[in-house]
Amino acid sequence: SDVYKRQEYGTVTTTMSIHLLLPILALALSVAPANAHAPVSSFESAPFPTHQLDGMAPPPGPPASIVFNTSFGSGMILQQAPAKACLYGTLGVGGTGATVSISSMTDVSVAPYEVPAVTDGNQWKACLQGPAGINGEFQIVAKCTGCTNSTPATLDHVMFGDVWYCGGQSNMALPLLHTLSRNKSRDAILAGRYSTMRIFGMSGNMNPNQAWSSLKDAVTTDPDPDKSLFMGFSSTCYYFGESLVDTLIAAGQPVPPIGLIHTAWGGSTIEQWLDNSTIVSCSNVSISPANGEWHESRVLPFISMTLKGFVWYQGENDMHGYFGNSALKTGYSCMMPALVASWRKMWSATPGTTDPNAPFGLVTLAPSGGEGGSDIGTMRWAQTAGYGVLPNPAMPNTFLAQSYDLDDPFSNISCYHATGCPAKPTPPGGWGGCQQYCDLSLIHI
């Protein structure tokens, strides 16, 4: 997108919130080189990548009629031009092929068009290119050829913008409910500030399932805002998107619709997010039956979806491992750049979709993130492939938020309970060990 300008950054140390830093660096790294995407026809269907379509085993039997993969939904964001935005799903009973059409729901001057899908068994895939510079809403319809039930599958109110994939462990997964700025964000959303942001989240051990939704709809899923789906969404992922919008507005630049996909799982290791062939390319790594677990179920289902870039926050559960050296291909220092390279390769397997050098951002561990392990400083070094800064030769087109000066100020972690602090006024006798946390929290309530 030409609304972003590229610039190189090194290490950034700040006492600002992490969510204010990451988007600034993302802005600097989010433009692809001019020749990154060859011109493509809007009517072109992409071939299948070398990996299996959709990254998952085929379902036990075809559905009654054609369907989109569950990664898609009405109200979602698809990646904008010049990239091709790919959609995929499953044919209905008897299906031999499919077509996918797109039409504007908000601008009659935009001509509709249709593309044929490519198929692999009962799986289908088609790639569209949204009209450049148009932020309206679109309807996308998939029709099956030969299906016994010819009912089409439809996505309404789809927008084209920038789509970011957020992964990691509890650092990423921490629900918005447990953040001090949550109510300021809620009020801004209800006032209409982030009206073209959309969120999608896989259910996990810290977050509920979140179908594609506008922020206002997510905030109003429950009469009690603290029980809404919005408050269960990843705070790091959301604040990244919120601050990206704020930064663009402050810079006087156009703001594209922003789509955020959250998949993090609390307590996960980096090995769980990698496939076995990538893990064994590094020595001195953890070997466990759990290796590759989230790669299979939380990465592969999205690799045929076109993205703008990635945001990663993880490392606590690798604090007892070998930090290593990327030049010697050992430990975490080898696995981190390997993850970046493997994700870019998978997501860009279909030419003209995700940029092969898509921007990748990460956050280093805060002082409270050691999980009892020693030498957290060396882990932060390993998170940058041993260079201490991003971008670097091992991890090009990356950006970094250092959080070693952003520790949790509240020593009593039990204060982060499911319902937040009690309602005002302060009860007689106060709130015990949670007094400091709740006093600060209520400033934002």
Side-chain angles (χ1 to χ4, degrees):
S1 168
D2 59 7
V3 301
Y4 296 154
K5 299 189 181 298
R6 183 173 177 170
Q7 180 179 349
E8 297 297 322
Y9 280 82
T11 304
V12 177
T13 303
T14 178
T15 54
M16 296 164 57
S17 299
I18 291 171
H19 70 269
L20 294 181
L21 172 60
L22 277 173
I24 296 171
L25 297 179
L27 286 173
L29 294 164
S30 58
V31 131
N35 62 351
H37 297 296
V40 295
S41 165
S42 296
F43 296 85
E44 178 183 359
S45 288
F48 286 108
T50 55
H51 52 263
Q52 184 177 348
L53 174 65
D54 186 31
M56 297 191 296
S65 58
I66 191 170
V67 295
F68 287 97
N69 182 272
T70 54
S71 303
F72 301 96
S74 291
M76 72 175 299
I77 305 295
L78 290 174
Q79 185 58 37
Q80 65 181 342
K84 295 181 293 184
C86 296
L87 302 103
Y88 44 95
T90 306
L91 298 172
V93 174
T96 58
T99 59
V100 177
S101 62
I102 177 172
S103 58
S104 175
M105 300 180 71
T106 53
D107 187 346
V108 295
S109 68
V110 177
Y113 67 88
E114 183 177 82
V115 298
V118 289
T119 58
D120 182 6
N122 67 349
Q123 303 290 288
W124 64 267
K125 175 179 176 178
C127 296
L128 305 171
Q129 192 165 52
I134 297 176
N135 289 337
E137 296 185 344
F138 293 83
Q139 181 183 75
I140 298 174
V141 179
K143 296 180 180 179
C144 183
T145 302
C147 283
T148 304
N149 183 337
S150 61
T151 303
T154 302
L155 303 177
D156 290 319
H157 305 291
V158 174
M159 302 185 78
F160 286 84
D162 285 342
V163 184
W164 293 83
Y165 176 94
C166 303
Q169 61 173 108
S170 58
N171 318 64
M172 176 64 74
L174 180 72
L176 277 155
L177 176 64
H178 304 298
T179 63
L180 293 178
S181 298
R182 66 189 187 274
N183 292 336
K184 292 173 65 176
S185 296
R186 176 201 65 199
D187 293 345
I189 290 166
L190 292 175
R193 181 167 177 84
Y194 306 107
S195 60
T196 60
M197 283 180 62
R198 303 286 188 270
I199 55 176
F200 174 93
M202 289 188 74
S203 61
N205 57 352
M206 296 178 65
N207 311 92
N209 184 64
Q210 173 68 70
W212 280 103
S213 173
S214 69
L215 296 178
K216 188 171 184 179
D217 285 346
V219 165
T220 56
T221 54
D222 193 281
D224 181 350
D226 281 356
K227 296 178 181 178
S228 68
L229 284 175
F230 173 75
M231 292 300 179
F233 191 73
S234 159
S235 54
T236 301
C237 190
Y238 169 73
Y239 287 132
F240 169 80
E242 177 187 276
S243 296
L244 188 57
V245 171
D246 290 344
T247 303
L248 285 168
I249 291 174
Q253 296 194 38
V255 181
I258 301 294
L260 302 173
I261 298 171
H262 171 250
T263 65
W265 187 276
S268 59
T269 64
I270 193 172
E271 291 90 343
Q272 289 177 281
W273 294 89
L274 293 166
D275 65 291
N276 287 331
S277 63
T278 303
I279 293 172
V280 299
S281 69
C282 304
S283 60
N284 297 95
V285 298
S286 173
I287 303 300
S288 165
N291 286 0
E293 181 177 6
W294 305 135
H295 173 81
E296 294 289 334
S297 61
R298 308 180 85 79
V299 174
L300 291 183
F302 297 94
I303 60 175
S304 287
M305 180 185 289
T306 310
L307 302 179
K308 179 66 176 181
F310 309 88
V311 182
W312 174 258
Y313 196 3
Q314 189 275 336
E316 290 186 349
N317 278 67
D318 285 281
M319 273 298 299
H320 295 277
Y322 189 74
F323 300 143
N325 182 303
S326 61
L328 299 177
K329 296 188 179 298
T330 58
Y332 197 99
S333 190
C334 174
M335 289 187 287
M336 188 67 249
L339 183 144
V340 174
S342 67
W343 283 16
R344 285 172 170 169
K345 182 179 180 180
M346 288 188 297
W347 258 279
S348 64
T350 298
T353 58
T354 302
D355 181 3
N357 201 31
F360 192 109
L362 63 85
V363 187
T364 61
L365 293 183
S368 59
E371 293 287 329
S374 61
D375 202 3
I376 194 171
T378 305
M379 166 54 93
R380 295 190 191 105
W381 205 258
Q383 288 179 288
T384 64
Y387 286 82
V389 297
L390 291 180
N392 60 55
M395 299 172 65
N397 207 40
T398 53
F399 55 100
L400 173 68
Q402 291 279 20
S403 64
Y404 50 75
D405 59 346
L406 292 173
D407 200 15
D408 182 350
F410 309 110
S411 59
N412 187 346
I413 197 66
S414 66
C415 296
Y416 291 100
H417 50 80
T419 57
C421 290
K424 294 183 288 184
T426 302
W431 294 318
C434 293
Q435 185 71 54
Q436 180 191 28
Y437 170 71
C438 289
D439 285 348
L440 288 172
S441 179
L442 289 176
I443 295 173
H444 302 274
I445 293 179

